[in-house]
Amino acid sequence: MDILLQLVFSGIALGMIYAVIAFGYQLTFATSGTLNFGQGEALMLGALVGLSLVGNIHGGPYVSYWVMIPIVIAFGALQGMLVERIAVRPALKIKSEFGWIMSTIALAIIFKNVAENIWGKDDLTFPSPLSTTPFKVLGANVQAMQVAVVLGALGMMLAVELFNRKSIYGKAVVATSNDRDCAGLMGIDTRLVIVFSYALSSATAAFAGVLVAPLTLTGATMGTALGLKAFAVAIIGGLSSGMGVIVGGLLLGVAETLTGFYISTGYKEVPGLLLLLLVLALKPAGLFGKTSIKKV
């Protein structure tokens, strides 16, 4: 039972990382109907930039872990704005339905190659800001950083939701999400809203990068698998539901850890993929998503 609980706790921490990246997919899809398929690379760059600031590479450390976090979030926002400007805006301007897909994938490959040339191809160790000595929770060993991951991911998503509900700028985002054409007629600059959604999406991914980095190895390839799994979480939970990405992330994270321990690490991705196929077959909008009807 202790081992089971420990696996569940590890799966919850992993699932919340998937959820916060999937939350970024939701942000851009809601405002522009597009997705940044380089979300994983935004996470990777956030982790590596953070490592340069707090690790003993490139002449560091320069700042503490807690000072580094807002710097990395700002870096992620700038990177998201760059993606929107180069890969998404031209496709939307010429009304290319799928041009943004290949453009964001191409930028993701470029970001990965840039990271390999700056930080190398080897995986690096990210220093943990908290004690690595586990403590007991219901008989299971839990690391302080795992708790920080869960609280940090929930805190980030809650902050974005409060911003959307309470601020005038957040309401502009919500209005654009509900009906972009109508929001534009009401005087909202929907182009700026889309830029902001991409900035916020990449900022959340970069934040997720510095959360997960102390629990794993950091390198140029770390974001690819995380980005793809987060996309699966967004589809499972629904691209229109914040609660959906949390539930989808937890389901996928726990399923992977349990399968990896009780069956084989070679099969740990299988339950998540089976769940994805099942959801697409039975509820294509996702577990918590809403089916929309388009009038043509």
Side-chain angles (χ1 to χ4, degrees), residues 57-58 62 70 107 112 128 144 178 180 198 212 250-251:
I57 63 171
H58 300 155
Y62 298 102
L107 268 183
K112 181 181 176 183
S128 177
N178 291 333
R180 187 171 37 166
Y198 265 84
V212 73
L250 294 178
L251 286 174

Side-chain angles (χ1 to χ4, degrees), residues 5-142:
L5 286 174
Q6 191 163 334
L7 291 170
V8 170
F9 287 139
S10 298
I12 289 173
L14 179 62
M16 290 309 300
I17 291 297
Y18 292 157
V20 77
I21 306 172
F23 187 66
Y25 283 120
Q26 283 189 346
L27 292 171
T28 59
F29 184 78
T31 57
S32 63
T34 62
L35 298 168
N36 178 13
F37 285 100
Q39 274 290 92
E41 278 61 37
L43 176 144
M44 174 268 295
L45 286 175
L48 288 173
V49 169
L51 179 60
S52 294
L53 293 173
V54 302
N56 57 357
I57 63 171
H58 300 155
Y62 298 102
V63 296
S64 70
Y65 181 88
W66 310 110
V67 174
M68 171 271 296
I69 289 178
I71 298 175
V72 167
I73 290 176
F75 171 82
L78 291 174
Q79 190 251 351
M81 293 169 67
L82 178 67
V83 171
E84 189 278 335
R85 182 65 185 87
I86 295 177
V88 178
R89 190 183 303 180
L92 293 179
K93 185 178 291 187
I94 64 174
K95 297 183 178 180
S96 173
E97 191 171 357
F98 300 111
W100 50 269
I101 296 178
M102 291 309 301
S103 296
T104 56
I105 292 174
L107 268 183
I109 296 172
I110 292 172
F111 288 143
K112 181 181 176 183
N113 288 337
V114 169
E116 287 178 344
N117 281 282
I118 295 176
W119 288 278
K121 296 183 179 181
D122 296 331
D123 290 329
L124 305 169
T125 302
F126 199 106
S128 177
L130 303 174
S131 173
T132 56
T133 303
F135 57 91
K136 292 287 185 180
V137 176
L138 301 176
N141 291 322
V142 179

